Amino acid sequence: MVSAVVVMNVMRVQVKEMAQSLLEIEGVSEVYSVTGEYDLVALLRLHRYEDLAGVVTTRMVQLPAIIRTNTLMAFQCYSRADLQQAWDIGVE
């Protein structure tokens, strides 16, 4: 499983509509509206690395309200579940 984070600037009057449109793209698992430099953050979960190009450079560019994107590839995931499993090792 390949994970990526896409931060983006969108036309502000269309933040909600863009979030909904992004969720219709296969591979986009979650979309957050955020404060600060960016307007939306999309979390991508893809089966193959090659699928990333289809989502970002083919599907997302078709959404006219997206002004700019920056894609961050994840190479390691840390989660509470991982931490809990580490504590559970050897516990009966």
Side-chain angles (χ1 to χ4, degrees), residues 1-91:
M1 183 68 63
V2 177
S3 298
V5 177
V6 181
V7 292
M8 62 197 86
N9 296 107
V10 302
M11 292 182 197
R12 294 191 189 246
V13 297
Q14 293 187 311
V15 169
K16 186 175 180 178
E17 292 82 3
M18 283 300 95
Q20 293 300 320
S21 294
L22 288 164
L23 287 170
E24 294 174 8
I25 299 173
E26 186 175 343
V28 176
S29 63
E30 299 171 63
V31 178
Y32 296 92
S33 60
V34 295
T35 62
E37 183 178 348
Y38 299 101
D39 303 306
L40 292 175
V41 175
L43 302 181
L44 309 182
R45 307 243 191 270
L46 307 161
H47 295 289
R48 300 174 308 145
Y49 177 76
E50 294 80 14
D51 297 335
L52 181 64
V55 171
V56 177
T57 63
T58 303
R59 297 292 309 278
M60 285 186 174
V61 297
Q62 293 176 357
L63 301 174
I66 295 177
I67 299 166
R68 184 179 66 180
T69 66
N70 187 12
T71 303
L72 307 169
M73 289 295 302
F75 59 86
Q76 179 68 43
C77 175
Y78 303 93
S79 72
R80 288 183 185 267
D82 294 337
L83 181 61
Q84 186 60 46
Q85 288 176 351
W87 284 108
D88 289 344
I89 293 175
V91 177

